[in-house]
CSV table of all heavy atoms in Angstrom, one decimal:
chain,number,residue,atom,x,y,z
A,4,TYR,N,2.7,127.2,76.9
A,4,TYR,CA,2.7,125.8,76.5
A,4,TYR,C,3.9,125.1,77.0
A,4,TYR,O,4.8,125.7,77.5
A,4,TYR,CB,2.7,125.7,74.9
A,4,TYR,CG,3.9,126.4,74.2
A,4,TYR,CD1,5.1,125.7,74.0
A,4,TYR,CD2,3.8,127.8,73.8
A,4,TYR,CE1,6.2,126.4,73.4
A,4,TYR,CE2,4.9,128.3,73.3
A,4,TYR,CZ,6.1,127.7,73.0
A,4,TYR,OH,7.1,128.3,72.5
A,5,HIS,N,3.9,123.7,77.0
A,5,HIS,CA,5.1,123.0,77.4
A,5,HIS,C,5.3,121.7,76.5
A,5,HIS,O,4.4,121.3,75.8
A,5,HIS,CB,5.0,122.4,78.9
A,5,HIS,CG,3.9,121.5,79.1
A,5,HIS,ND1,2.6,121.7,79.3
A,5,HIS,CD2,3.9,120.1,79.0
A,5,HIS,CE1,1.9,120.6,79.4
A,5,HIS,NE2,2.7,119.6,79.2
A,6,PHE,N,6.5,121.3,76.4
A,6,PHE,CA,6.8,120.1,75.7
A,6,PHE,C,6.6,118.8,76.4
A,6,PHE,O,7.0,118.8,77.6
A,6,PHE,CB,8.3,120.2,75.1
A,6,PHE,CG,8.6,121.4,74.2
A,6,PHE,CD1,9.3,122.4,74.7
A,6,PHE,CD2,8.1,121.3,72.9
A,6,PHE,CE1,9.5,123.6,73.9
A,6,PHE,CE2,8.3,122.4,72.1
A,6,PHE,CZ,9.0,123.6,72.6
A,7,GLU,N,6.2,117.7,75.8
A,7,GLU,CA,6.2,116.4,76.3
A,7,GLU,C,6.9,115.5,75.4
A,7,GLU,O,6.7,115.5,74.2
A,7,GLU,CB,4.8,116.0,76.6
A,7,GLU,CG,4.1,116.7,77.7
A,7,GLU,CD,2.7,116.0,78.1
A,7,GLU,OE1,2.4,115.0,77.5
A,7,GLU,OE2,2.1,116.6,78.9
A,8,LEU,N,7.7,114.5,75.9
A,8,LEU,CA,8.4,113.5,75.1
A,8,LEU,C,7.6,112.2,75.4
A,8,LEU,O,7.7,111.7,76.5
A,8,LEU,CB,9.8,113.4,75.5
A,8,LEU,CG,10.6,112.3,74.9
A,8,LEU,CD1,10.6,112.5,73.3
A,8,LEU,CD2,12.0,112.2,75.3
A,9,SER,N,7.0,111.6,74.5
A,9,SER,CA,6.2,110.4,74.6
A,9,SER,C,7.0,109.1,74.1
A,9,SER,O,7.4,109.2,73.0
A,9,SER,CB,4.8,110.6,73.9
A,9,SER,OG,4.1,111.5,74.5
A,10,THR,N,7.0,108.1,74.9
A,10,THR,CA,7.8,106.9,74.5
A,10,THR,C,7.0,105.8,74.1
A,10,THR,O,5.8,105.8,74.0
A,10,THR,CB,8.8,106.6,75.7
A,10,THR,OG1,7.8,106.3,76.8
A,10,THR,CG2,9.7,107.8,76.2
A,11,ARG,N,7.7,104.6,73.9
A,11,ARG,CA,7.1,103.4,73.4
A,11,ARG,C,5.8,103.0,74.1
A,11,ARG,O,5.8,102.8,75.4
A,11,ARG,CB,8.0,102.3,73.3
A,11,ARG,CG,7.5,101.0,72.7
A,11,ARG,CD,8.5,100.0,72.5
A,11,ARG,NE,7.9,98.7,71.9
A,11,ARG,CZ,8.6,97.8,71.4
A,11,ARG,NH1,10.0,97.8,71.6
A,11,ARG,NH2,8.1,96.7,70.9
A,12,PRO,N,4.7,102.8,73.4
A,12,PRO,CA,3.5,102.3,74.1
A,12,PRO,C,3.5,100.9,74.3
A,12,PRO,O,4.3,100.1,73.7
A,12,PRO,CB,2.3,102.7,73.1
A,12,PRO,CG,3.0,102.7,71.8
A,12,PRO,CD,4.4,103.2,72.0
A,13,GLU,N,2.7,100.3,75.1
A,13,GLU,CA,2.6,98.9,75.3
A,13,GLU,C,1.7,98.3,74.2
A,13,GLU,O,0.9,99.0,73.6
A,13,GLU,CB,1.9,98.7,76.8
A,13,GLU,CG,2.7,99.1,77.9
A,13,GLU,CD,4.1,98.5,78.0
A,13,GLU,OE1,4.0,97.3,77.7
A,13,GLU,OE2,5.0,99.1,78.6
A,14,GLY,N,1.8,97.0,74.0
A,14,GLY,CA,0.9,96.4,73.0
A,14,GLY,C,1.7,95.6,72.0
A,14,GLY,O,3.0,95.8,71.8
A,15,GLU,N,1.1,94.6,71.3
A,15,GLU,CA,1.7,93.7,70.4
A,15,GLU,C,1.9,94.3,69.0
A,15,GLU,O,2.7,93.8,68.3
A,15,GLU,CB,0.8,92.5,70.3
A,15,GLU,CG,0.7,91.6,71.6
A,15,GLU,CD,-0.2,90.4,71.4
A,15,GLU,OE1,-0.8,90.3,70.2
A,15,GLU,OE2,-0.3,89.7,72.3
A,16,ASN,N,1.0,95.4,68.7
A,16,ASN,CA,1.1,95.9,67.4
A,16,ASN,C,2.1,97.0,67.2
A,16,ASN,O,2.2,97.6,66.0
A,16,ASN,CB,-0.3,96.4,66.9
A,16,ASN,CG,-1.3,95.2,66.9
A,16,ASN,OD1,-0.9,94.1,66.5
A,16,ASN,ND2,-2.5,95.4,67.3
A,17,VAL,N,3.0,97.4,68.1
A,17,VAL,CA,3.9,98.4,68.0
A,17,VAL,C,4.9,97.8,67.0
A,17,VAL,O,5.5,96.7,67.1
A,17,VAL,CB,4.5,98.7,69.4
A,17,VAL,CG1,5.6,99.7,69.4
A,17,VAL,CG2,3.5,99.3,70.4
A,18,LEU,N,5.4,98.8,66.1
A,18,LEU,CA,6.4,98.5,65.2
A,18,LEU,C,7.8,98.6,65.8
A,18,LEU,O,8.0,99.4,66.5
A,18,LEU,CB,6.2,99.3,63.9
A,18,LEU,CG,4.9,99.3,63.1
A,18,LEU,CD1,5.0,100.2,62.0
A,18,LEU,CD2,4.6,97.8,62.8
A,19,GLY,N,8.7,97.7,65.3
A,19,GLY,CA,10.1,97.9,65.6
A,19,GLY,C,10.6,97.1,66.8
A,19,GLY,O,9.8,96.6,67.6
A,20,THR,N,11.9,97.1,67.0
A,20,THR,CA,12.5,96.4,68.1
A,20,THR,C,12.9,97.5,69.2
A,20,THR,O,12.8,98.6,69.1
A,20,THR,CB,13.9,95.8,67.6
A,20,THR,OG1,14.8,96.9,67.2
A,20,THR,CG2,13.7,94.8,66.4
A,21,ASP,N,13.3,96.9,70.3
A,21,ASP,CA,13.6,97.7,71.5
A,21,ASP,C,14.8,98.6,71.2
A,21,ASP,O,14.9,99.7,71.5
A,21,ASP,CB,14.0,96.8,72.7
A,21,ASP,CG,12.8,96.1,73.3
A,21,ASP,OD1,11.7,96.6,72.9
A,21,ASP,OD2,12.9,95.2,74.1
A,22,ASP,N,15.8,98.1,70.4
A,22,ASP,CA,17.0,98.9,70.0
A,22,ASP,C,16.5,100.0,69.1
A,22,ASP,O,17.1,101.2,69.3
A,22,ASP,CB,18.0,98.0,69.3
A,22,ASP,CG,18.8,97.1,70.2
A,22,ASP,OD1,18.6,97.3,71.5
A,22,ASP,OD2,19.3,96.2,69.7
A,23,GLU,N,15.7,99.7,68.2
A,23,GLU,CA,15.2,100.9,67.2
A,23,GLU,C,14.5,102.0,68.0
A,23,GLU,O,14.7,103.1,67.7
A,23,GLU,CB,14.3,100.2,66.1
A,23,GLU,CG,15.2,99.5,65.2
A,23,GLU,CD,14.3,98.7,64.2
A,23,GLU,OE1,13.2,98.2,64.6
A,23,GLU,OE2,14.6,98.6,62.9
A,24,TRP,N,13.6,101.5,68.9
A,24,TRP,CA,12.9,102.5,69.8
A,24,TRP,C,13.9,103.3,70.6
A,24,TRP,O,13.7,104.5,70.9
A,24,TRP,CB,11.9,101.7,70.7
A,24,TRP,CG,10.6,101.6,69.9
A,24,TRP,CD1,10.2,100.7,69.1
A,24,TRP,CD2,9.5,102.5,70.0
A,24,TRP,NE1,9.0,100.8,68.6
A,24,TRP,CE2,8.5,102.0,69.1
A,24,TRP,CE3,9.3,103.8,70.6
A,24,TRP,CZ2,7.3,102.6,68.9
A,24,TRP,CZ3,8.1,104.4,70.3
A,24,TRP,CH2,7.1,103.8,69.6
A,25,GLU,N,14.9,102.7,71.2
A,25,GLU,CA,15.9,103.4,71.9
A,25,GLU,C,16.7,104.4,71.1
A,25,GLU,O,16.8,105.5,71.5
A,25,GLU,CB,16.9,102.4,72.7
A,25,GLU,CG,17.9,103.1,73.5
A,25,GLU,CD,18.8,102.1,74.1
A,25,GLU,OE1,18.7,100.9,74.0
A,25,GLU,OE2,19.5,102.6,75.0
A,26,ILE,N,17.0,104.0,69.9
A,26,ILE,CA,17.7,105.0,68.9
A,26,ILE,C,16.8,106.2,68.7
A,26,ILE,O,17.3,107.3,68.8
A,26,ILE,CB,18.1,104.3,67.8
A,26,ILE,CG1,19.2,103.2,67.9
A,26,ILE,CG2,18.5,105.2,66.6
A,26,ILE,CD1,19.5,102.3,66.8
A,27,SER,N,15.6,106.0,68.3
A,27,SER,CA,14.7,107.0,67.9
A,27,SER,C,14.3,108.0,69.1
A,27,SER,O,14.3,109.2,69.0
A,27,SER,CB,13.5,106.5,67.3
A,27,SER,OG,12.8,105.6,68.1
A,28,THR,N,14.1,107.3,70.3
A,28,THR,CA,13.8,108.1,71.5
A,28,THR,C,14.9,109.0,71.9
A,28,THR,O,14.9,110.1,72.3
A,28,THR,CB,13.4,107.3,72.7
A,28,THR,OG1,12.3,106.3,72.3
A,28,THR,CG2,13.0,108.0,73.9
A,29,LEU,N,16.1,108.4,71.9
A,29,LEU,CA,17.4,109.2,72.2
A,29,LEU,C,17.6,110.3,71.2
A,29,LEU,O,18.0,111.4,71.6
A,29,LEU,CB,18.6,108.3,72.3
A,29,LEU,CG,18.7,107.3,73.5
A,29,LEU,CD1,19.9,106.4,73.3
A,29,LEU,CD2,18.8,108.2,74.8
A,30,ALA,N,17.2,110.1,69.9
A,30,ALA,CA,17.4,111.2,69.0
A,30,ALA,C,16.4,112.4,69.3
A,30,ALA,O,16.9,113.6,69.2
A,30,ALA,CB,17.1,110.7,67.6
A,31,LEU,N,15.2,112.2,69.6
A,31,LEU,CA,14.4,113.2,70.0
A,31,LEU,C,14.8,113.9,71.4
A,31,LEU,O,14.8,115.2,71.5
A,31,LEU,CB,13.0,112.7,70.2
A,31,LEU,CG,12.2,112.3,68.9
A,31,LEU,CD1,10.8,112.0,69.1
A,31,LEU,CD2,12.2,113.4,67.7
C-alpha cells in the first residue's frame, strides 16, 4: 500500500478559508 495526501478541491461549496486549509494541510 501507499499513502496519498489529498488537498483542497475546487468548487464553491468547500468550507473554510485559504488560510484554514493551509493550516490543516500543513498539519497532515
Side-chain angles (χ1 to χ4, degrees):
Y4 59 88
H5 70 272
F6 297 106
E7 289 189 3
L8 176 61
S9 299
T10 60
R11 180 176 181 166
E13 299 294 331
E15 298 178 357
N16 293 321
V17 175
L18 301 180
T20 65
D21 289 344
D22 288 343
E23 288 172 320
W24 273 87
E25 184 176 359
I26 290 170
S27 54
T28 303
L29 285 174
L31 291 187

